[in-house]
Amino acid sequence: MTLRIFEGKGASGESRRPCGSGAGACSSRPGMTRRSFLRASAGATGGLAAFAAAISPLKDLDSGDIPDLDTFLQKHYKEMSEAEMNAALDRIRARVEERYKVRPDIRDIKPMDGVEFVYALNLSRCIGCRRCVHACVDENNQSRDPEIQYIRVLEMPRGTTDIEQGNHHYERARVPDENHYYMPIQCHQCANPPCVKVCPVEATWQEPDGITVIDYDWCIGCRYCEAACPYWARRFNFVEPRLASPEEIAKTPDIESKRLNPEMSYLSNRPRSKGVMEKCHFCLHRTRQGKMPRCLEVCPVGARKFGNVLDPDSDVSNILRTKRVFVLKAELGTLPRFFYYFDERDPTAEDLPAMEHGGQP
Amino acid sequence: MTEYLRFLYRCFRLSFVGDWKYYAWMVFLTCISLFGLNAYCQQLVTGLGTTGMTDQVSWGLYIANFTYLVGVAAAAVMLVIPAYIYKNKDLHDVVIFGELLAVAVIIMCLLFVTVDLGRPDRFIHLFLRFNFPLSMLTWDVIVLNGYLLLNLHICGYLIYCTYRRREPNKKLFLIPFVLIAIVWAISIHTVTAFLYSGLGGRPFWNHAIIAPRFIASAFAAGPAFIILTLQVIDRFTSHHVPIGALRTLRQVVTVALTINVFLLISEMFTEFYTGAEHARSMHYLYFGLGEYDALVPWIWTAIVLNSTALVLLYLPHAKRGLWILNVSCVLMIVGIWIEKGMGLIVPAFIPTPIGEIVEYTPTLNEILVCLGIWAFGLLLYTIMVRITVPVLNGELTSDTLHPSEMESVRHETV
Ligand code: SF4
Ligand code: SF4
């Protein structure tokens, strides 16, 4: 006698036969014996236990990794109303305050009308001291462990402008070295940016003042933009960004709060989370308020010039007019807003003898 | 509707029933999948730092596997075209196994893309703000999901009709979808190739030849995979696979592999003979750059495997022996995996666009995640075949019980 676990329709004890083929709809449902039931439940329990063990690392997810409902529903930057933006900023403020014990001054700073920013870098002056690199990290709250740097300075042999020949990891007691010149590279804020084109979710776009920005709350971390950028300007947060290494924190517990730059804006230097992309944004929280980028301010030799190219009297307009500037990889059609130039003798300057007939072909 | 739910329920039950070999295989796959899941959970907690990827080499094993599998999925079309367009009887018998393979493989592809995301919790953004038609990744998401749905429909409809002993309404519900799926299969491949070849900043990818090479290698590796699978089905299930089907596929594979090798030679010639600057990644791949040569042994292995496979396929007596065909299929599957996975994705990042050389080595965690996804895909495919075979053979229909079900009924009525 077999105990019936599932009685089904057969409760009255009617015998069940497999329905013959073609006998119309068959109503009998295969039942289950005790043995198979036990076997199945043992299997199910074992399976569930194994599954639970497999996902057990998830218990270490910290609260910041699991978005609350409001964060989850937060819209794309361009779709947020003012009220929604304020709510988002409040959430960020609270999060930063909780983590760094500093109340940040965070706003959503909009581009100014009639402004298009352009950078110009004088290669005859740059001495390769890398001060801009580190000032940038300070200014923009980049992760220190591992350190994320937006600017890469190449040490170039004289006699070529081929960046393949640059040395990325030069270490010298004194710079500059007399046989080399130095070429800093950062995001070129292309006018035709491939990184923007490829982003599947429009988490990165070009603003009216020419700065390509990223909505860190929208990026899904696919790194397609990083593959697309021809200037290797993008950086990804492979782990949770930290403003100090564990050793530093052990020594000075509040070092992260001290290092945090509380002047921030939504699209620029607010703290990022792991799994999102970031890059240089021409210090838009400064430059959109009339200040200069931090990398420019710290440059000891004045190799960096920045300004509004739509203003004919600006430094950069003047440089673009009078110097023989060049951009990297012009053949790609990315139209960088980052120009390099060398100091040169100006042949139209007054004390050079003018040549007659020189202009004839 | 209830009939349909009952069908699903019976399928579900059936997937847990089998002989000891079936159980052993399923338990094995489940274990590996769970290891993979565990590794992925680790990655979720720590971030993509658990992988070997860096800012320099920002795509690795995940995207490599993804790329390879897109090819395998698209290759199902090589059964569909002869079966439906040229009315090849032999292939018609087995075409459904190709389509099921496409379903399983596309699911694997989607998993590989998902594990590569830094913020999978924001997956929904893909549907809220589409960068269409500009981003090739958006296109890829559309075509992959579309292909999945198409194949799910085709297989599901056929299987369910057979289950209900109905004649499928071919004109309305089958043939149009099959035709769309054919074009669609080519498109998933093309779009995936465009994903890479559209990037001007990566000279290694920025070639017109990438898309044709993709298709050629896919039509070699995919059918090779199917040739092996069909033999497994023939051996371990009651479904008979006609030898003619294997012969046709063999021809497909031979032609595709030949074209693939030809395109490879054209590519290498252009790059190396010109000796232009942007052959650096190529150089890295085949010969290494100075002390950096991690990929060199891999790519030469792939070349040896593929050429051996090609020679074996052209051996005159190969027509007779199946084992030669099988050996060359295995060689080709591995060869193309290396060539299209590691060999196509990683070198594009070395050196970086501004000339830095950083090599890439996958970590154990990353490899476990990949193995997990492969195991899960095989698991899915096994279940699908497990259900499909009895339905097609008329052992499981809406009005008969499957032998495995009879047993429990018998117990009950003692
Ligand atoms: S330099 Fe790179 S990141 Fe910057 S705008 Fe151009 S493509 Fe985008
Ligand atoms: S990593 Fe983020 S910003 Fe870059 S393409 Fe992907 S979603 Fe867009």
Side-chain angles (χ1 to χ4, degrees):
Chain A
M1 153 111 199
T2 314
L3 200 86
R4 291 211 183 99
I5 306 277
F6 290 128
E7 295 278 2
K9 281 193 198 138
S12 58
E14 74 181 61
S15 79
R16 286 203 200 164
R17 278 171 285 103
C19 305
S21 53
C26 174
S27 63
S28 84
R29 208 163 286 247
M32 226 185 205
T33 62
R34 180 165 63 173
R35 190 156 30 111
S36 66
F37 176 75
L38 287 180
R39 204 171 50 196
S41 41
T45 326
L48 277 181
F51 184 77
I55 62 168
S56 63
L58 291 184
K59 67 181 186 306
D60 293 333
L61 274 183
D62 64 74
S63 54
D65 291 330
I66 307 158
D68 56 57
L69 192 63
D70 287 335
T71 315
F72 184 72
L73 294 178
Q74 182 175 317
K75 292 189 188 146
H76 185 275
Y77 175 84
K78 291 188 186 168
E79 283 167 12
M80 273 193 267
S81 68
E82 212 180 315
E84 286 166 331
M85 174 49 87
N86 286 335
L89 291 175
D90 278 340
R91 281 194 294 274
I92 298 170
R93 238 172 249 131
R95 239 179 288 142
V96 172
E97 208 173 343
E98 186 194 319
R99 165 131 192 226
Y100 299 101
K101 315 283 179 272
V102 175
R103 185 146 185 92
D105 174 18
I106 178 169
R107 282 175 296 153
D108 171 32
I109 305 171
K110 300 278 187 210
M112 301 184 277
D113 281 338
V115 172
E116 183 180 337
F117 288 125
V118 152
Y119 221 125
L121 201 143
N122 187 341
L123 292 171
S124 310
R125 289 190 164 235
C126 176
I127 54 169
C129 65
R130 293 200 180 109
R131 279 196 210 172
C132 52
V133 176
H134 302 295
C136 169
V137 175
D138 268 349
E139 173 69 31
N140 291 310
N141 295 318
Q142 273 109 307
S143 172
R144 310 299 207 281
D145 179 41
E147 180 152 309
I148 290 185
Q149 303 173 339
Y150 294 164
I151 307 177
R152 181 54 73 84
V153 185
L154 305 195
E155 185 178 74
M156 304 281 296
R158 290 185 183 268
T160 179
T161 51
D162 174 14
I163 48 177
E164 298 270 348
Q165 304 193 28
N167 178 359
H168 291 247
H169 305 286
Y170 66 93
E171 279 176 61
R172 290 185 187 282
R174 279 184 65 86
V175 282
D177 177 68
E178 57 198 32
N179 298 318
H180 292 92
Y181 72 101
Y182 297 86
M183 179 183 256
I185 301 180
Q186 63 207 70
C187 174
H188 285 1
Q189 314 293 1
C190 312
N192 179 19
C195 57
V196 168
K197 203 159 35 175
V198 301
C199 176
V201 293
E202 289 182 44
T204 183
W205 65 92
Q206 196 175 171
E207 292 265 291
D209 56 1
I211 302 178
T212 291
V213 293
I214 302 168
D215 181 348
Y216 311 118
D217 288 341
W218 197 259
C219 168
I220 57 173
C222 65
R223 308 189 297 299
Y224 196 11
C225 54
E226 194 167 28
C229 171
Y231 306 100
W232 194 64
R234 296 194 155 234
R235 300 292 183 273
F236 186 69
N237 287 284
F238 282 92
V239 293
E240 184 68 29
R242 272 185 304 209
L243 293 190
S245 66
E247 300 84 60
E248 287 172 310
I249 296 177
K251 248 189 264 156
T252 337
D254 60 344
I255 187 165
E256 285 198 296
S257 328
K258 283 197 193 132
R259 281 192 179 161
L260 185 81
N261 173 9
E263 300 289 317
M264 43 181 91
S265 117
Y266 185 94
L267 290 176
S268 68
N269 59 341
R270 66 179 166 119
R272 278 76 62 183
S273 70
K274 73 164 174 259
V276 301
M277 197 56 76
E278 55 180 281
K279 69 167 189 70
C280 161
H281 38 73
F282 277 1
C283 280
L284 68 79
H285 52 284
R286 301 168 60 96
T287 50
R288 282 182 180 177
Q289 307 199 87
K291 290 198 242 168
M292 283 290 153
R294 190 63 191 281
C295 48
L296 181 147
E297 281 191 346
V298 298
C299 179
V301 291
R304 291 171 167 262
K305 300 284 178 213
F306 179 85
N308 177 10
V309 74
L310 301 182
D311 168 8
D313 298 328
S314 64
D315 268 357
V316 284
S317 295
N318 197 26
I319 290 167
L320 293 191
R321 242 187 342 259
T322 58
K323 304 283 184 184
R324 292 178 223 162
V325 299
F326 69 96
V327 294
L328 292 183
K329 308 198 186 193
E331 71 279 9
L332 296 180
T334 48
L335 308 178
R337 290 197 179 85
F338 199 100
F339 298 89
Y340 296 93
Y341 63 101
F342 294 93
D343 274 335
E344 58 190 316
R345 200 177 49 168
D346 182 359
T348 59
E350 43 332 306
D351 55 348
L352 289 170
M355 298 268 283
E356 272 175 52
H357 307 306
Q360 280 175 8
Chain B
M1 191 62 202
T2 48
E3 192 53 38
Y4 188 64
L5 290 178
R6 182 162 165 259
F7 167 65
L8 290 184
Y9 170 72
R10 291 178 74 187
C11 291
F12 177 73
R13 283 206 36 167
L14 195 60
S15 59
F16 284 97
V17 186
D19 59 3
W20 70 270
K21 278 187 220 139
Y22 178 73
Y23 276 119
W25 173 240
M26 295 299 270
V27 168
F28 171 69
L29 291 180
T30 312
C31 287
I32 299 191
S33 311
L34 287 178
F35 273 116
L37 181 65
N38 182 268
Y40 180 57
C41 290
Q42 219 96 46
Q43 178 188 313
L44 273 183
V45 172
T46 316
L48 280 160
T50 53
T51 68
M53 291 185 273
T54 51
D55 276 321
Q56 285 83 0
V57 185
S58 50
W59 279 344
L61 217 47
Y62 295 153
I63 296 295
N65 274 297
F66 160 78
T67 314
Y68 176 74
L69 286 173
V70 171
V72 176
V77 77
M78 276 302 157
L79 276 86
V80 176
I81 293 179
Y84 284 97
I85 310 241
Y86 297 111
K87 313 261 182 258
N88 180 317
K89 180 78 195 48
D90 290 338
L91 278 180
H92 211 288
D93 279 353
V94 294
V95 66
I96 189 143
F97 296 107
E99 288 160 338
L100 287 174
L101 185 71
V103 171
V105 167
I106 291 282
I107 292 177
M108 291 164 77
C109 287
L110 293 174
L111 285 176
F112 270 116
V113 178
T114 313
V115 297
D116 189 61
L117 293 184
R119 299 297 307 231
D121 54 316
R122 298 184 184 159
F123 195 75
I124 188 85
H125 292 180
L126 272 172
F127 304 97
L128 297 180
R129 224 185 145 88
F130 248 53
N131 186 3
F132 188 82
L134 270 186
S135 171
M136 281 299 125
L137 202 54
T138 308
W139 275 82
D140 220 22
V141 170
I142 298 177
V143 292
L144 283 179
N145 282 300
Y147 193 62
L148 178 62
L149 291 181
L150 274 174
N151 276 297
L152 270 180
H153 165 81
I154 296 172
C155 302
Y157 182 70
L158 264 181
I159 295 176
Y160 189 59
C161 282
T162 324
Y163 172 78
R164 294 296 300 268
R165 294 166 175 278
R166 277 194 216 135
E167 199 42 44
N169 185 342
K170 285 203 166 136
K171 283 225 174 62
L172 204 55
F173 291 120
L174 200 62
I175 300 299
F177 289 94
V178 170
L179 294 182
I180 299 176
I182 292 177
V183 182
W184 208 286
I186 313 247
S187 84
I188 64 172
H189 226 64
T190 315
V191 169
T192 310
F194 286 175
L195 198 81
Y196 306 112
S197 67
L199 302 184
R202 306 267 171 199
F204 185 71
W205 284 337
N206 195 213
H207 275 298
I209 210 164
I210 292 270
R213 250 196 90 192
F214 245 64
I215 302 219
S217 62
F219 286 173
F225 206 85
I226 293 176
I227 290 178
L228 297 180
T229 322
L230 287 181
Q231 291 176 55
V232 172
I233 291 174
D234 189 59
R235 189 133 174 228
F236 289 101
T237 74
S238 48
H239 196 87
H240 174 66
V241 175
I243 188 89
L246 299 182
R247 287 224 180 89
T248 316
L249 285 176
R250 180 178 165 278
Q251 282 161 4
V252 171
V253 166
T254 314
V255 173
L257 192 62
T258 315
I259 298 180
N260 185 36
V261 170
F262 168 69
L263 291 180
L264 174 74
I265 294 172
S266 324
E267 189 181 1
M268 284 176 75
F269 172 79
T270 321
E271 288 287 344
F272 287 124
Y273 192 80
T274 327
E277 180 63 43
H278 68 235
R280 295 252 295 170
S281 294
M282 270 272 186
H283 221 276
Y284 170 75
L285 177 61
Y286 288 101
F287 308 109
L289 290 173
E291 66 207 91
Y292 304 102
D293 53 5
L295 286 181
V296 176
W298 287 96
I299 195 67
W300 287 104
T301 314
I303 290 180
V304 171
L305 292 179
N306 285 342
S307 349
T308 319
L310 194 62
V311 172
L312 284 183
L313 283 175
Y314 276 110
L315 280 187
H317 65 276
K319 281 204 184 84
R320 277 170 249 145
L322 263 185
W323 72 271
I324 291 194
L325 176 62
N326 290 346
V327 169
S328 48
C329 282
V330 173
L331 295 182
M332 187 165 16
I333 289 172
V334 180
I336 293 180
W337 183 84
I338 299 176
E339 177 197 299
K340 239 176 103 187
M342 297 300 268
L344 181 78
I345 303 303
V346 179
F349 293 92
I350 305 170
T352 67
I354 56 172
E356 188 186 7
I357 302 178
V358 173
E359 296 199 286
Y360 163 79
T361 329
T363 59
L364 178 64
N365 208 70
E366 197 175 358
I367 295 174
L368 280 178
V369 173
C370 294
L371 287 179
I373 295 179
W374 274 90
F376 182 73
L378 282 176
L379 193 79
L380 278 182
Y381 188 60
T382 314
I383 292 178
M384 289 190 236
V385 172
R386 173 82 189 104
I387 292 165
T388 310
V389 170
V391 174
L392 289 188
N393 292 354
E395 288 164 18
L396 179 78
T397 62
S398 55
D399 45 15
T400 52
L401 285 177
H402 188 251
S404 72
E405 292 170 335
M406 281 202 233
E407 189 191 332
S408 41
V409 172
R410 218 178 299 127
H411 272 288
E412 217 177 276
T413 50
V414 173

